[in-house]
Amino acid sequence: MKFDPEQKFSVQWNWENYAMPTVLETPKWADVQPFIVEPGDAIGPYGAKGVGEPPTSPPAPAIANAIYNAIGVRIHDAPLTRDKVLAAIAQMKR
Amino acid sequence: MKRFEHLNAGSVDEAVKLLSAQNARAIAGGTDLLGVMKDQLLPTDRVVNLKTIPGLDYIKEESGELRIGALAKIADIAASGVVAQKAPALTNAALLVASPQIRNMGTLGGNLAQKVRCWYFRDVDRADCYKRGGGFCYAVLGASDLHAIFDGAACFAVQPSDTATALSALGASIVVAGPGGQKTVGVDDFFIGPHTDYTRETVLAQDEIITEVRIPASALGQPSLFIKAAPRKSIDFARGSVAVLLVGSPLIQSARISLGGVAPTPHRATEAESYLAGKRLTADVIGQAGTLAANGAQPLASNDYKVQLVQGLVRSALTRLAG
C-alpha cells in the first residue's frame, strides 16, 4: 500500500491505483505444473482441506527470493514492482 | 451524485449553445465524466449528450488526410483497416486504451479531452488541489510515482491519453467547434501545460467541443509505432508511453517522438528527433536517441524511475521500427 509520506494517508484508495493482477498477468497454462498432494487433513471433514487461501501466501516470498537470487538485494515492500527493483539496483551500485 | 439536467444535442451548433450554461459538461461515452461527477471533482449542473449528433463517428480518407469524427469509438479505431495501414501508431494506442468495455463506450474526442488521473486530484478529500481550484499540490512533497518528470509547475499531473501521444507523433490536428465557429489546432497546441493554466489540460473552453481529428498526408503510410509501460498488461493508464513516426528509410529524413504519461501534455522529445535526422537506425544511434529523449527531465521524490523508463521506451520503439 502506497502512503503519502508527507501527509500520512493512503493514495491507493481505489482499484485503479491498488491494481490487482488480471488474467493477462498469469503465466501460460503450459508453464504451470500443478502437483496435487493428498495427505488428508485431520481437522477437515472427511480429511478435506480448504484450497482458497493457502496459495496466496507463498508467491510473494518466492518472488522476493527470486529477486534476491538474481540481484542480491532483499526488498521487503510488496508488491515488488519494477520501479522498486530498479531503485534497489541503483542503491546496490552506490 | 448531485442532481443535474441531461439534454440531447441534435447538432454541433446546438451542443455548443447548450454548453454555454453554468457548469455544463459535454458527455459522449461517459467513461471519464461519470467518474468525475460521482466523485464531485468538478461542479456539474448540466450534461449535454453529444451521442445524439448524427454522422460524427466516421473514419475516412479525404483531401489526402485521414479524418476521424470525434464520436468514433476507440474500439472502431482499433479495428479500422485504414488506420492500421495509414497510421499504425494510432491503432497501437487505441488497442492499449483501458479495457474492451471502455473501448466500446469511449470516443476519440473523449479520450483526448479526459481529465488527469493524479491520485490526489481524483481523491474526493483533496479539494485544495490546484486542478480542483485550490492552491496546493500534494505530489511535490508526497507520493509522486505517477507524476511528471517534464514541464511540471504548480501541478504535476500527467496527460493520460494514449491516443493523444500517438496523434502528437503523427502531427495530427484537432478541429474544435465553438460559439465563434470552427478552428483547427495542432495536437501539440491543443494540450496546454500548467505554465499556461493549471486548471485545465486543453485549450477547450466550456462551450467548445472536438468535432474531428485530422492526420496529415505527410504522416500517412509512414512507419509509426506506439508502446506503453504500465503495471499491468491491460486496463492501466501509462506510467510512460512513446509514439514514434519515421520518415525516410534506411536514412531517416525526419523523426517525430512524443512521450505520454511523463508530462502535463504530450511531450515531444525534440533533441532526440533532431539527432535522428540524417541517420540510420544502428544500435549506437538508438542508444543515443534514448538518452537524449530524457534530457531536461526533473524527477520528483518518487518518480526517478521514469527517466530510465523513457530512455528504455524510446530505444524499444526505435529497435522495433528498425527491425
Side-chain angles (χ1 to χ4, degrees), chain A residues 16, chain B residues 98 114-115 117 160-162 228-231 235-240:
Chain A
E16 178 188 338
Chain B
Q114 66 184 302
K115 296 298 288 182
R117 307 302 311 184
S161 166
D162 292 328
K228 113 181 190 184
I235 305 176
D236 292 323
F237 286 92
R239 291 291 175 95

Side-chain angles (χ1 to χ4, degrees), chain B residues 46-319:
Chain B
R46 172 187 281 189
V47 171
V48 178
N49 181 20
L50 307 181
K51 291 191 296 294
T52 43
I53 303 174
L56 215 56
D57 60 351
Y58 51 84
I59 300 173
K60 63 182 179 193
E61 278 186 278
E62 197 174 286
S63 311
E65 298 175 322
L66 183 59
R67 297 184 170 178
I68 305 176
L71 291 177
K73 297 267 200 297
I74 299 298
D76 292 337
I77 294 169
S80 159
V82 62
V83 176
Q85 196 194 349
K86 299 287 182 175
L90 183 58
T91 303
N92 302 149
L95 274 170
L96 288 168
V97 170
S99 60
Q101 292 90 334
I102 291 175
R103 293 196 290 271
N104 282 329
M105 291 297 293
T107 62
L108 182 59
N111 192 260
L112 294 171
Q114 66 184 302
K115 296 298 288 182
V116 298
R117 307 302 311 184
C118 168
W119 47 30
Y120 297 110
F121 168 75
R122 295 267 169 179
D123 187 339
V124 185
D125 297 332
R126 314 287 148 209
D128 49 350
C129 139
Y130 277 119
K131 256 195 204 313
R132 302 260 296 276
F136 191 72
C137 178
Y138 288 88
V140 176
L141 294 171
S144 51
D145 308 36
L146 309 178
H147 296 82
I149 55 170
F150 297 106
D151 314 323
C155 171
F156 290 83
V158 296
Q159 223 312 299
S161 166
D162 292 328
T163 59
T165 309
L167 291 170
S168 165
L170 292 165
S173 51
I174 294 174
V175 182
V176 173
Q182 280 202 347
K183 59 182 174 186
T184 305
V185 191
V187 168
D188 291 341
D189 296 322
F190 177 80
F191 292 98
I192 54 177
H195 291 279
T196 311
D197 182 353
Y198 52 68
T199 64
R200 53 192 190 145
E201 295 79 40
T202 71
V203 295
L204 288 179
Q206 189 195 292
D207 56 356
E208 288 180 324
I209 57 169
I210 300 171
T211 58
E212 187 179 77
V213 169
R214 295 177 178 174
I215 303 172
S218 57
L220 297 184
Q222 303 294 341
S224 70
L225 180 76
F226 170 90
I227 53 175
K228 113 181 190 184
R232 294 174 293 183
K233 287 175 186 158
S234 79
I235 305 176
D236 292 323
F237 286 92
R239 291 291 175 95
S241 67
V242 63
V244 180
L245 170 77
L246 294 180
V247 178
S249 173
L251 210 62
I252 298 167
Q253 273 174 37
S254 68
R256 287 176 68 97
I257 302 177
S258 196
L259 305 172
V262 291
T265 63
H267 176 84
R268 294 277 302 285
T270 47
E271 279 185 59
E273 287 178 356
S274 22
Y275 167 77
L276 284 172
K279 300 216 169 49
R280 280 163 213 270
L281 284 181
T282 64
D284 284 350
V285 166
I286 289 171
Q288 178 64 11
T291 306
L292 290 172
N295 268 11
Q298 292 180 305
L300 297 166
S302 54
N303 66 4
D304 202 41
Y305 74 96
K306 285 197 178 184
V307 174
Q308 275 168 285
L309 185 63
V310 159
Q311 294 174 337
L313 282 168
V314 170
R315 287 174 192 143
S316 302
L318 290 174
T319 305

